[in-house]
Amino acid sequence: MQGKARTVAMTTQPKTAPKTKRSKTVTLKDNQTDQSWSFPVLEGATGPDVVDIRKFYSETGMFTYDPGFTSTGSCDSKITYIDGGKGILLHRGYPIEDLAEKCNFEEVAYLMLNGELPNSSQKRQFEHDITYHSMLHEQFHNFYSGFRRDGHPMAIMCGVVGALSAFYHDSLDINNPEHRMVSSYRLIAKMPTIAAWAFKYSLGQPFIYPRNDLGYAENFLHMMFATPCESYKVSPTLAKAMDRILILHADHEQNASTSTVRLAGSSGANPFACIAAGIASLWGPAHGGANEAVLTMLNEIGNKNHIPEFVKRAKDKDDPFRLMGFGHRVYKNYDPRARIMSRPCHEVLEELGIKNNPLLDIAMELERIALEDDYFIEKKLYPNVDFYSGIIFQAMGIPVTMFTALFALARTTGWIAQWQEMIGDPLQKIGRPRQLYTGETKRKFLTLEQRT
Ligand code: CMC
């Protein structure tokens, strides 16, 4: 372990149960038996009310059915609020626009974990504590060398992050707040090192150690691009752009990977194992893997003239092709993160002297055509956070296969804050969904000879 584990004020938010909306109930009636049941309606701080169905099964003998959780709240949370209709994203009440413009990533990480923005001494202390956990155990060299050089960085991330639990036994007790805090800091601190080393390993270059005099985003770029052969100065513009991108990806309430982390954690699994599960869930192209898929799609389109053909395919029910980087389960308006992304995108291209970026041209034209198309208008499909991020990453020299690893590194903050919130919740139970069984009912066993 690097640095000393210290106690830092990371308060678990006092648990206040959601309010019951003044005697509002929802009544369900069985039209065959005429029996009816009432369920209380709970009111959050803002956003839709929820029907409290915790006693649904014991009272009705039925389950609810909601594949994909399109209408189901799985927990109450104080961390992130999204109004998908209006395109609003708040972390601990602060608009994402303000956080991306006025904070660095470390301040946002502190906010996620503690509920409040840090004052200057809290900020200094937090940055120090994160910095001093950024090294990996030396034996990880052996671990990396067990992977093929062409292994996908997300495969390496799943493996290495899960393996942290085999190295840091002194912080695995989830019932001990000090252990939880040290593990949280370790995960946030080590993730840039783990991701950068996955990249270095694919190149066959020596691993670059973290530097304690650099900020979080700057240190990540340093570990990605420095070599021992020459001095390397991280461009402040690129570091600032990376910092903004990390903020934009830091948390997004109960999405697939966050829910995976919570579900894994609900069984009492250690935080390193839970975050490894989150990384696996993020990898899919419908989720964090979309940033990689966008670049692949833009390259496949290759030329603005081919855009109508791809838009036509995206609208064809018989073609599985979708416009990657478009659409969102919650946003039925422009994803505010995609809007903010245009600033770092232009800053990076300008800093790197890239006057013409053919992929950016294709992306902008694709967005224009799609946003004027009835299909996308009717279904409220807008660019999401992944639509432009890949273009920035590629301009920075980051290979396409690393894109989702970057998302994972940023999202670790949100995952760990959500995991902390869940563990601190006295109402927390193991997550155990039920099902609508549609298979065979009990039948007579057939011996091998009887089977035709
Ligand atoms: N291109 C074409 N049609 C689409 C698209 C798209 N990108 N997205 C949704 N649709 C259509 C879909 O076919 C469906 O049509 P219909 O009602 O006729 O069956 C309708 O829009 C609703 O789509 P859905 O799949 O039921 O919606 P969902 O909420 O389950 O899925 C989504 C959301 C993000 C998985 C989906 O929009 C998608 O696959 N987008 C492309 C992948 C992507 O960009 N993912 C990144 C999401 S943002 C970052 C993150 O969460 O990690």
Side-chain angles (χ1 to χ4, degrees):
M1 179 186 139
Q2 189 190 3
K4 264 184 42 207
R6 2 181 352 274
T7 314
V8 177
M10 191 160 76
T11 48
T12 307
Q13 295 299 299
K15 180 73 197 165
T16 47
K19 278 183 268 169
T20 306
K21 199 158 196 173
R22 288 168 305 279
S23 67
K24 185 170 162 185
T25 55
V26 160
T27 302
L28 178 84
K29 187 167 173 207
D30 182 332
N31 65 0
Q32 288 185 350
T33 61
D34 258 358
Q35 197 179 354
S36 59
W37 304 268
S38 286
F39 297 96
V41 173
L42 305 180
E43 185 182 15
T46 181
D49 295 338
V50 302
V51 184
D52 179 355
I53 55 163
R54 281 174 289 181
K55 295 204 174 126
F56 192 89
Y57 176 58
S58 62
E59 290 188 6
T60 68
M62 293 185 277
F63 298 137
T64 57
Y65 181 66
D66 184 19
F69 307 117
T70 54
S71 301
T72 298
S74 58
C75 60
D76 59 276
S77 178
K78 293 180 164 55
I79 301 173
T80 293
Y81 173 74
I82 303 172
D83 182 329
K86 295 191 183 133
I88 290 172
L89 171 60
L90 310 177
H91 294 312
R92 302 283 192 186
Y94 293 107
I96 187 67
E97 290 80 3
D98 285 342
L99 296 174
E101 189 60 36
K102 297 169 189 156
C103 290
N104 69 8
F105 180 71
E106 292 92 313
E107 284 171 274
V108 174
Y110 183 99
L111 173 71
M112 297 283 175
L113 289 167
N114 296 289
E116 294 298 336
L117 285 165
N119 61 28
S120 46
S121 75
Q122 288 165 331
K123 178 171 183 278
R124 242 188 339 270
Q125 187 64 59
F126 184 71
E127 287 173 350
H128 171 275
D129 294 339
I130 292 295
T131 302
Y132 279 82
H133 280 293
S134 56
M135 270 206 318
L136 280 179
H137 192 290
E138 259 322 83
Q139 259 177 270
F140 270 101
H141 284 256
N142 305 336
F143 204 86
Y144 275 86
S145 57
F147 288 103
R148 281 173 53 135
R149 293 268 176 201
D150 60 356
H152 195 287
M154 285 297 277
I156 298 179
M157 300 276 288
C158 288
V160 172
V161 173
L164 291 173
S165 40
F167 285 81
Y168 300 102
H169 296 136
D170 59 344
S171 61
L172 295 182
D173 179 1
I174 62 158
N175 298 313
N176 179 330
E178 174 97 357
H179 280 217
R180 295 208 297 268
M181 183 275 290
V182 175
S183 291
S184 301
Y185 280 30
R186 279 179 169 150
L187 275 157
I188 294 170
K190 293 183 198 307
M191 207 55 92
T193 317
I194 293 170
W197 283 19
F199 175 55
K200 286 298 193 195
Y201 184 71
S202 72
L203 297 178
Q205 287 186 2
F207 296 137
I208 299 295
Y209 286 88
R211 265 183 43 192
N212 289 352
D213 58 330
L214 302 179
Y216 193 84
E218 199 181 9
N219 199 17
F220 172 62
L221 291 173
H222 162 75
M223 289 188 282
M224 287 283 289
F225 297 118
T227 67
C229 316
E230 56 191 5
S231 63
Y232 177 81
K233 170 100 183 70
V234 179
S235 144
T237 310
L238 297 197
K240 177 75 202 153
M242 179 56 74
D243 194 72
R244 276 222 182 93
I245 294 169
L246 296 181
I247 292 172
L248 294 180
H249 288 84
D251 190 53
H252 215 227
E253 53 119 304
Q254 309 311 322
N255 54 78
S257 57
T258 303
S259 297
T260 302
V261 169
R262 279 187 178 256
L263 197 56
S266 76
S267 71
N270 74 69
F272 302 111
C274 297
I275 301 300
I279 294 172
S281 170
L282 186 76
W283 194 356
H287 193 8
N291 53 15
E292 182 175 337
V294 170
L295 250 272
T296 309
M297 176 189 75
L298 294 176
N299 278 311
E300 235 180 275
I301 296 174
N303 180 318
K304 282 194 213 171
N305 299 333
H306 298 152
I307 293 174
E309 183 194 316
F310 279 80
V311 171
K312 189 166 165 228
R313 282 187 59 198
K315 298 193 289 184
D316 182 353
K317 277 246 165 271
D318 299 323
D319 189 331
F321 174 76
R322 283 183 169 202
L323 280 193
M324 299 315 288
F326 259 79
H328 198 274
R329 168 62 62 80
V330 182
Y331 293 119
K332 301 302 165 199
N333 200 326
Y334 216 97
D335 179 341
R337 302 167 301 169
R339 213 186 284 285
I340 302 169
M341 198 67 85
S342 72
R343 175 125 177 237
C345 187
H346 288 109
E347 283 168 359
V348 166
L349 296 180
E350 197 175 308
E351 164 83 2
L352 298 172
I354 301 172
K355 297 235 162 18
N356 293 314
N357 182 311
L359 291 186
L360 180 61
D361 292 345
I362 296 173
M364 285 167 64
E365 182 64 2
L366 178 59
E367 177 185 340
R368 191 189 64 75
I369 292 178
L371 292 183
E372 286 175 0
D373 190 292
D374 285 347
Y375 174 94
F376 291 87
I377 294 170
E378 270 162 31
K379 295 189 189 300
K380 300 194 166 110
L381 300 170
Y382 292 85
N384 59 50
V385 69
D386 292 316
F387 193 64
Y388 285 108
S389 61
I391 292 170
I392 316 181
F393 293 154
Q394 201 181 46
M396 284 179 169
I398 295 168
V400 174
T401 53
M402 278 295 293
F403 291 1
T404 314
L406 259 132
F407 195 154
L409 123 66
R411 184 54 60 86
T412 296
T413 292
W415 288 332
I416 208 71
Q418 299 266 356
W419 174 80
Q420 285 268 10
E421 183 176 65
M422 181 192 71
I423 301 290
D425 181 347
L427 301 180
Q428 188 263 327
K429 275 174 180 282
I430 185 169
R432 178 45 170 102
R434 304 306 296 261
Q435 62 173 6
L436 175 66
Y437 179 69
T438 55
E440 297 287 348
T441 52
K442 187 174 176 188
R443 54 180 169 161
K444 192 167 174 293
F445 180 78
L446 298 178
T447 62
L448 191 56
E449 295 72 37
Q450 290 170 319
R451 294 172 219 160
T452 50

